[in-house]
Each structure stands twice: as C-alpha cells, then as structure tokens.
Amino acid sequence: MEQLFRSKDVTIVYDAEHEIEMVLPDRTKGLSFASSVEQLAKTPIISGHVWLLPKGTMLPEGLIFNVKDKDHPLLNVSRKMSVSEFTEKLLVLSGKMVAANISVEKGTGKLVQNAALQDQKSKRY
C-alpha cells in the first residue's frame, strides 16, 4: 500500500501482540495543513499545487485535527490504529479534497494561477 505520510509526522510503534506497526495519537505531531491559502504561501518550504478540504467536510472516523496554533492544524489519529488503516483513511480523505486552480511557487511563496488546471476544469463542464 502506498505510504501517504512521513513517519516523522506521526508516532508509530510496533505492536508485538498483533505483529504490525501502529499509529498512536500524539497532539504534538500530524500531517500539516494550513488555515488558508495565504497562510500556506507564507511557509517558505512549501511549493506545488494547492488542494482544499471544503469547510464542513466530515473526517473519516478515527482522524482528528489537533491545532498546533491558530494557523497550523495537524491531522492525526484520535485512537490507536494500524498503519494500513491510517493510510486507507488518508486515501478516503484525499478523495474529499478539491484541487484549487493555484500553485505555490517554489522558493518565493508566490501564489500562481494554474491555467492548465483551469482549462482542465472548464473542459469537464
């Protein structure tokens, strides 16, 4: 199964009883999100296409946002679960995200309209 996260972003331990790796809840770690596109652009190491999680989207059971600070929510688990279950839930969540028609330019943080993506969207309708 495809790995959708870095192991340093979550707490993973080996469960000898079940002989599998498990992700543990950890309020200090998680997959980084931004509260706005503008906030995302202020992060110097971020670049690439912007994806949005529509407001009010229900997270898959077992996932939770911990708020590191006002502008930096961290997606993590709310209960112990296997790495494969976590990965499956991330795939479900990714299907709920919407591609924005902008990208963050590498090195500058500049927001750039993505004409190719905009053209693609207009052809679908």
Side-chain angles (χ1 to χ4, degrees):
M1 183 170 282
E2 180 182 1
Q3 181 112 356
L4 301 176
F5 58 93
R6 301 176 306 181
S7 59
K8 72 178 189 174
D9 291 330
V10 294
T11 300
I12 299 174
V13 297
Y14 183 74
D15 182 329
E17 179 184 344
H18 297 99
E19 298 182 345
I20 57 174
E21 289 185 321
M22 303 293 283
V23 180
L24 301 180
D26 185 333
R27 294 185 51 80
T28 65
K29 292 183 175 183
L31 303 176
S32 294
F33 278 68
S35 60
S36 68
V37 174
E38 293 75 23
Q39 187 63 35
L40 182 66
K42 289 179 186 178
T43 307
I45 61 170
I46 301 294
S47 66
H49 298 290
V50 175
W51 289 83
L52 305 172
L53 184 61
K55 189 174 186 166
T57 300
M58 295 295 295
L59 297 177
E61 182 280 322
L63 297 185
I64 189 170
F65 275 111
N66 294 316
V67 180
K68 181 175 183 177
D69 61 49
K70 180 176 158 261
D71 298 319
H72 190 198
L74 298 172
L75 182 70
N76 207 316
V77 297
S78 61
R79 61 172 174 78
K80 183 177 175 179
M81 69 177 67
S82 69
V83 167
S84 62
E85 180 183 3
F86 181 51
T87 301
E88 289 170 11
K89 289 180 183 293
L90 291 176
L91 286 169
V92 169
L93 184 62
S94 71
K96 297 179 178 191
M97 297 179 80
V98 178
N101 65 339
I102 55 176
S103 295
V104 178
E105 191 173 76
K106 187 173 186 172
T108 67
K110 180 180 174 185
L111 296 175
V112 179
Q113 291 291 326
N114 189 337
L117 186 56
Q118 189 62 38
D119 290 344
Q120 215 174 24
K121 283 182 177 179
S122 63
K123 290 178 185 175
R124 287 198 287 179
Y125 300 104

